[in-house]
Amino acid sequence: MSFDLSPVSRPSGLPELRAAYARERAALDRTVPSGPSPAADPAALGVALGRRHARLLDDLLARLFQLLRESGNPSRAAWDAVAIAGVGGYGRGAVALRSDLDVRILARDAQRAGAIADALLYPLWDMGVTVGHQVVTIDDLVESAREDLPTATSLLDWRHVVGDASLSEALWQRAANGLFAHSELPRFIERLGKEIAQRHERFGGSVYLLEPDVKNGAGGLRDLDVARWAAKARYGVGEFEALVRFGALVAREAEEIRGAAEMLWRIRNLLHAQSGRRTDRLTFDQQEICAGALGYSKAAGPGGAGAPPSSEPAVSPEAVERMMSDYYRSARTISRALDMIISRATPTLTRRRRRDEDLGAGVRLFDGCITMSDPDLLRTDPAIALRLVSEAVDRGVPLLPYARGAIVRAAGDPAFCAALRESAEAAERFRTLVATCKETALQSGSVVRELHDLGLLLAMIPEFLPVVGRVHHDVYHVYTVDVHSVAAVDRLAALVRGELAGEFGLACRLAAEATRPTMLFFATLLHDVGKAIGGTDHSRRGAEMARAILERLGFPPEDVDEACHLILKHLVMYLIATRRDLDDPATIAEFCQEVHGREGLRDLFLLTVADLSTTSPTSMTSWKARMLDELYLAADGALRGARGEAGPIGADDQRMARAISGTVGALEDLPAAGEAERHARRDFLARYLASMPERYLLSNSPAAIAAHSELARQQQSSQNGASVALVPSRHPEAAEVCVVAPDRPGLLAAITAALAASRLEVHAAQIHSRACEDLGLEEGGMLRARAGSSPPAGVRLQAVDLFWVRDRGDGVGGVARAIPKLMVDIQSVLSGQISGAELAKKRRGGALRERPTPKVRTQISIDDRASHHTVIEVLTRDRPGLLFAISDALYQLGLSISVAKINTEGTRVVDVFYVSEADGTKIAPGKRTQEVEERLHAVLQGMDDEGSVG
């Protein structure tokens, strides 16, 4: 809403104009709420606010122009010889809340017009208006625009505001007949394409970033600007409603684009209001504020009613997820609109004769692309949409852009989608396409991604719609559910093709042996279909939904049952591999009950690998991959009945032999003072390997094991309190620190206190306790793995604890510098010179302020189903000193830690401890269990209250 400039109320001078503008500007700012309180009218926050701002600036410029012209300084003739025009967002008629006023002063003589610029700018600056300006001539602009893309696009945004309108008209005529002439359009649009690629690369390259840039990122408002530029250059109009009249868009497409733009405009204005400046990055903390301001609640979308209980945060994670899901859907709509308009706006200037071949059934091969013989076939024969994709895949060619556009339009029609689902041919082709492993020339790359981009995935599986754009409010799940599900299918196809044998050797071998691949591909596609926002147990809900979907698609009952079982259990293998002791026979026995035989085990393993490795770029670490391999091999051996009570299965015998052979070789490569030392090393290595569990031998590299053994030998012979060394790490993302010391209660707490004091972040850990005496050699010197039994009383125990760490400031490179201090600190705690708590607190003073991230609700579970221990599982927000705080609390409770598994998932950590009481028994249920749980909750709450322990 602009201020009143009628003749009666017009201010007579600049002070009055300044005061009137300040009043209206303040009213504009008051429209946007401060903080997460819901806006009175969310619709007023979007494009409407931008247009209101632009009208305010129009009125300001027009009145200021008239006041200064009437003053006669410069002369009226000078004012009459210029045109003031808006460019950028202002030129397009909508200005974000804190965006600049971008103007051009168009003159016949730029030098003489300099005085006009000075006269205009100083009052605007005095009013607090940030102005971007240039004084230009028509010749300068047209010449510059030939090489400078921002200048060329400013001509497409050009909007005359005040002054000599004939100048603006003459400029457009020059541009339209030259720069944007039909013959020049391909080059101009190619320049736009390069700008898109460079900008997307600079701002993250994906629509689905966790903290997206709503202006410059993929699917952001700048993409919408580029689409307008291409349309204006080709059709002479840039507004999407006008493009409907030109036939470049259909009404439904224009409405979808308008809705998507409105969503991003609301968020951008809120970001400007919250920061008080022009900022466009939707950070985690701003997501919570925006969700609240836009009226998202646990029960509804934007504008939803209902306040959360007072015990819950003002803006729930579900509300943020709901808003971000809407954001991603909007960004995806804009991204698709950009591709569509760029394609339609690009003219074809070639005159060569194109090859046109009728392939039958309404399909044609035209100029190396698949298309349809008659667009009306999509109405009369809906299955042709999938027939076209099948033909393109079979022939290794893309779809013609015209055919893609026609399918996308058809897929937006509910009647078409319903008819497609009724087609037996469509169901058969859809099943085949989803399970296709061929490389393709399709625009989207993979078959399933193409089906999704065309709208055919949703047409065939409308139940998939709720997870399109569905996001988790955390930093671990990087992609939306639909993008992740499609990527998981693509990953499974790559495993079948054997492309990832170096990274996932076991999975590639098993994928090639799958007996029901189509069922497995659909289980992978649908494994997260039950992830509705605010719901729980998505695995069970997804299995129930998948049954109806697969039956509709014509799968046989046995495949439906198995796919649903895989979806129901798709998290089980990952959770057991990363949170349970795989040396415990009870763990393997319990897991085997979750799968349907060896074939079901193989399928679940492949689904787990495909799922985990596409959750985020860093979700599948080498440690997790080895844990999954180890669990698969142990379970497969148990299901074959090949594992006896005393020894490992046959497959593991070979792996053990390779591990031992490699370790012996690695030990020989270590420098030695002489042959006597080499002999001592070899003799100790045999005893050392015999005393360590199978899990250790199979999950560490030979070079690392050799280094561990030598460190253990040195510590045992010197009787040092503790020995610390940096050893070869199999994890490129973290350095490996080995700590060897006489085992004792509280040792883990002492080590983790020293790690915290050294500002080392623990990303994974292995905790081992070995008998120093020769208990593991059989006759003939053969090695056997420990079966988890405790050593006899009186036997000295040596801890061999491994930690994969990163320096908080310098990453992997900073770890080596911390080792000397780490050793001193560990010795200080073990000798009683300082307590672990005091040492860990030293970190607090130098801790850097962490960037806001989504909240993580602490969960603690205590399970006594393991063979000899109680399993304590702590899920909480990762923070400095966390591992020390937990291990010290367990020590103070009188509990001994036998196994610890550390699993970091973004800002969330899952720490699992196998513990026992001082007498070796499990934690008693009831009061004792409650005491342990309450103590851990209190410790973690204390860390939150203190802002983390150093």
Side-chain angles (χ1 to χ4, degrees):
M1 176 179 174
S2 58
F3 50 80
D4 185 5
L5 291 177
S6 63
V8 175
S9 62
R10 281 178 184 168
S12 58
L14 284 177
E16 291 84 357
L17 181 61
R18 184 184 305 113
Y21 172 74
R23 285 194 305 273
E24 295 301 322
R25 175 70 217 200
L28 192 73
D29 291 340
R30 286 195 300 272
T31 305
V32 186
S34 58
S37 301
D41 180 14
L45 304 180
V47 176
L49 184 69
R51 289 175 177 161
R52 178 182 167 189
H53 191 187
R55 288 196 301 269
L56 176 61
L57 294 171
D58 281 351
D59 289 347
L60 175 64
L61 277 178
R63 182 56 186 153
L64 181 60
F65 186 94
Q66 292 302 327
L67 281 173
L68 295 172
R69 179 178 178 275
E70 290 169 6
S71 72
N73 185 24
S75 67
R76 292 191 176 189
W79 288 98
D80 292 341
V82 300
I84 310 298
V87 296
Y90 179 49
R92 295 185 294 273
V95 183
L97 192 63
R98 295 292 175 187
S99 288
D100 297 347
L101 169 62
D102 287 330
V103 296
R104 297 294 180 266
I105 301 173
L106 182 61
R108 292 181 176 86
D109 186 334
Q111 188 170 0
R112 291 182 60 187
I116 298 291
D118 291 342
L120 276 172
L121 292 174
Y122 282 103
L124 290 172
W125 290 336
D126 188 45
M127 295 179 197
V129 181
T130 304
V131 186
H133 79 286
Q134 280 184 296
V135 179
V136 293
T137 66
I138 292 177
D139 288 343
D140 290 341
L141 279 175
V142 172
E143 185 62 29
S144 177
R146 296 187 187 282
E147 300 301 328
D148 183 57
L149 185 61
T151 301
T153 58
S154 73
L155 301 181
L156 296 167
D157 288 334
W158 192 277
R159 182 173 63 87
H160 182 77
V161 177
V162 66
D164 185 357
S166 66
L167 282 172
S168 292
E169 179 62 28
L171 173 63
W172 174 246
Q173 290 301 322
R174 281 275 301 274
N177 295 327
L179 286 169
F180 309 124
H182 192 72
S183 61
E184 296 294 323
L185 279 178
R187 178 175 177 270
F188 173 70
I189 292 178
E190 181 182 0
R191 292 166 68 192
L192 288 181
K194 291 179 180 178
E195 186 278 337
I196 294 168
Q198 292 170 358
R199 174 169 47 82
H200 285 182
E201 182 178 2
R202 194 164 65 252
F203 286 91
S206 171
V207 167
Y208 304 102
L209 297 180
L210 292 173
E211 296 181 307
D213 188 299
V214 300
K215 178 184 177 183
N216 293 297
L221 290 168
R222 179 61 79 211
D223 279 357
L224 214 53
D225 298 338
V226 176
R228 287 192 181 95
W229 294 333
K232 182 77 177 287
R234 175 67 189 271
Y235 305 109
V237 295
E239 292 304 314
F240 299 115
E241 292 77 5
L243 292 176
V244 174
R245 296 194 295 273
F246 275 82
L249 291 175
V250 297
R252 176 180 53 78
E253 292 169 337
E255 180 59 25
E256 288 174 352
I257 296 170
R258 187 206 64 77
E262 175 66 20
M263 178 68 185
L264 268 65
W265 264 96
R266 293 182 187 184
I267 291 174
R268 190 178 186 215
N269 282 328
L270 284 167
L271 292 175
H272 285 201
Q274 295 301 324
S275 64
R277 59 187 175 84
R278 184 180 62 186
T279 182
D280 301 311
R281 189 179 180 197
L282 187 53
T283 57
F284 288 121
D285 52 336
Q286 290 294 335
Q287 289 171 21
E288 296 180 4
I289 294 173
C290 290
L294 292 175
Y296 284 82
S297 70
K298 293 188 72 172
S310 58
S311 61
E312 297 185 12
V315 180
S316 67
E318 292 84 358
V320 177
E321 290 174 359
R322 192 174 293 110
M323 184 199 74
M324 290 306 297
S325 292
D326 284 349
Y327 169 83
Y328 290 127
R329 289 191 186 101
S330 298
R332 186 168 181 265
T333 295
I334 290 173
S335 185
R336 290 174 64 173
L338 173 64
D339 291 343
M340 180 171 57
I341 291 173
I342 288 283
S343 174
R344 294 174 187 176
T346 306
T348 303
L349 304 180
T350 182
R351 296 185 178 182
R352 65 179 177 81
R353 183 177 180 83
R354 302 184 181 190
R355 181 187 175 193
D356 187 0
E357 180 182 353
D358 186 354
L359 302 179
V363 181
R364 304 188 72 84
L365 180 65
F366 178 74
D367 198 30
C369 299
I370 293 295
T371 187
M372 65 198 83
S373 58
D374 182 356
D376 196 48
L377 284 171
L378 285 168
R379 180 181 59 82
T380 60
D381 181 16
I384 193 173
L386 289 162
R387 205 177 301 143
L388 292 172
V389 180
S390 297
E391 198 67 46
V393 171
D394 290 344
R395 292 178 176 269
V397 297
L399 291 171
L400 193 71
Y402 162 77
R404 287 188 98 253
I407 294 173
V408 170
R409 290 183 179 184
D413 179 4
F416 166 84
C417 296
L420 190 67
R421 289 192 294 274
E422 293 295 322
S423 168
E425 179 193 349
E428 181 180 357
R429 289 188 179 277
F430 185 68
R431 293 195 305 267
T432 301
L433 285 168
V434 168
T436 296
C437 298
K438 291 178 61 176
E439 296 279 13
T440 75
L442 297 171
Q443 178 176 313
S444 302
S446 78
V447 177
V448 179
R449 196 178 307 133
E450 181 84 344
L451 292 173
H452 192 21
D453 288 347
L454 292 172
L456 295 176
L457 179 56
L458 286 178
M460 293 299 292
I461 308 179
E463 297 90 340
F464 208 67
L465 180 60
V467 301
V468 174
R470 165 76 166 94
V471 64
H472 298 270
H473 189 49
D474 62 39
V475 299
Y476 181 61
H477 295 86
V478 171
Y479 309 112
T480 56
V481 175
D482 59 316
V483 170
H484 160 64
S485 299
V486 169
V489 173
D490 290 343
R491 178 55 51 88
L492 180 59
L495 293 174
V496 172
R497 291 193 297 266
E499 293 176 356
L500 305 174
E503 187 177 359
F504 303 111
L506 177 60
C508 284
R509 175 171 65 80
L510 295 175
E513 300 170 358
T515 57
R516 291 186 283 181
T518 303
M519 178 279 298
L520 179 57
F521 272 94
F522 271 85
T524 304
L525 176 64
L526 300 175
H527 75 278
D528 277 344
V529 73
K531 278 191 172 177
I533 292 175
T536 57
D537 198 358
H538 76 275
S539 300
R540 184 169 300 280
R541 185 191 303 111
E544 294 168 354
M545 294 171 65
R547 184 168 297 279
I549 295 168
L550 297 172
E551 288 174 350
R552 186 177 67 236
L553 291 172
F555 278 86
E558 59 272 19
D559 283 2
V560 173
D561 290 343
E562 185 58 26
C564 292
H565 180 77
L566 289 172
I567 293 169
L568 178 65
K569 302 294 183 181
H570 78 271
L571 295 176
V572 170
M573 192 168 194
Y574 167 70
L575 295 177
I576 290 178
T578 58
R579 303 185 187 181
R580 292 296 179 266
D581 181 10
L582 303 186
D583 276 343
D584 187 343
T587 298
I588 305 304
E590 180 183 350
F591 173 62
C592 287
Q593 294 176 9
E594 302 282 0
V595 298
H596 290 168
R598 295 181 64 205
E599 186 176 339
L601 170 65
R602 178 185 58 212
D603 289 343
L604 182 60
F605 173 73
L606 292 171
L607 171 53
T608 303
V609 170
D611 179 17
L612 178 60
S613 62
T614 54
T615 297
S616 78
T618 58
S619 55
M620 177 66 93
T621 64
S622 56
W623 172 75
K624 291 178 184 177
R626 284 201 301 277
M627 291 297 100
L628 287 172
D629 285 0
E630 182 177 337
L631 177 55
Y632 171 82
L633 292 168
D636 187 59
L639 290 169
R640 284 185 301 154
R643 181 186 286 278
E645 288 294 323
I649 61 174
D652 280 355
D653 279 336
Q654 298 177 12
R655 297 177 68 211
M656 289 280 288
R658 288 195 299 269
I660 293 167
S661 174
T663 301
V664 170
L667 189 72
E668 295 297 323
D669 292 337
L670 295 177
E675 188 56 37
E677 184 175 22
R678 292 188 186 279
H679 179 78
R681 284 178 177 176
R682 287 193 292 267
D683 182 61
F684 182 84
L685 177 65
R687 298 193 302 275
Y688 175 79
L689 294 180
S691 68
M692 296 298 283
E694 177 184 325
R695 162 174 50 93
Y696 167 82
L697 297 172
L698 296 178
S699 59
N700 292 284
S701 70
I705 294 173
H708 303 160
S709 173
E710 179 59 11
L711 192 64
R713 185 182 73 86
Q714 293 173 2
Q715 189 280 327
Q716 186 172 326
S717 61
S718 65
Q719 296 297 310
N720 287 337
S723 296
V724 182
L726 198 61
V727 300
S729 175
R730 261 191 176 179
H731 302 280
E733 67 273 13
E736 181 180 339
V737 174
C738 178
V739 181
V740 181
D743 204 359
R744 51 171 268 189
L747 176 62
L748 180 61
I751 296 172
T752 53
L755 290 169
S758 297
R759 309 193 192 288
L760 298 179
E761 297 175 328
V762 180
H763 288 258
Q766 291 181 20
I767 309 300
H768 304 286
S769 182
R770 57 175 291 271
C772 293
E773 279 69 18
D774 302 344
L775 302 176
L777 285 174
E778 295 178 339
E779 291 185 15
M782 295 298 292
L783 290 162
R784 67 177 164 82
R786 292 190 309 182
S789 58
S790 299
V795 172
R796 290 181 299 117
L797 297 179
Q798 184 184 56
V800 180
D801 294 346
L802 314 176
F803 301 89
W804 283 266
V805 301
R806 291 173 58 87
D807 182 88
R808 189 165 178 77
D810 299 328
V812 174
V815 177
R817 293 190 295 273
I819 295 298
K821 179 180 182 299
L822 181 63
M823 178 178 287
V824 171
D825 286 343
I826 293 175
Q827 298 283 18
S828 298
V829 177
L830 294 178
S831 65
Q833 297 177 28
I834 188 173
S835 72
E838 290 173 329
L839 183 62
K841 284 180 181 177
K842 287 185 175 182
R843 184 169 180 179
R844 188 188 315 166
L848 299 175
R849 183 179 181 273
E850 296 181 353
R851 289 183 57 241
T853 56
K855 298 176 180 63
V856 177
R857 184 170 67 89
T858 295
Q859 302 174 57
I860 297 172
S861 67
I862 299 178
D863 181 2
D864 63 357
R865 289 177 294 177
S867 296
H868 305 290
H869 301 88
T870 297
V871 180
I872 298 177
E873 184 176 298
V874 180
L875 188 157
T876 189
R877 178 177 60 86
D878 196 11
R879 64 204 101 167
L882 175 66
L883 186 55
F884 161 72
I886 299 174
S887 56
D888 184 59
L890 296 175
Y891 170 58
Q892 298 297 333
L893 284 162
L895 298 173
S896 297
I897 301 171
S898 296
V899 176
K901 302 193 83 167
I902 313 301
N903 186 20
T904 304
E905 301 173 345
T907 57
R908 183 178 75 169
V909 66
V910 184
D911 289 350
V912 180
F913 303 89
Y914 278 63
V915 304
S916 59
E917 299 283 8
D919 60 1
T921 61
K922 296 182 181 182
I923 297 175
K927 185 176 179 180
R928 176 59 168 163
T929 295
Q930 183 178 353
E931 177 191 6
V932 172
E933 185 172 346
E934 289 176 352
R935 178 64 177 273
L936 289 173
H937 272 296
V939 167
L940 296 175
Q941 184 60 51
M943 292 187 72
D944 287 338
D945 294 342
E946 293 181 15
S948 92
V949 183

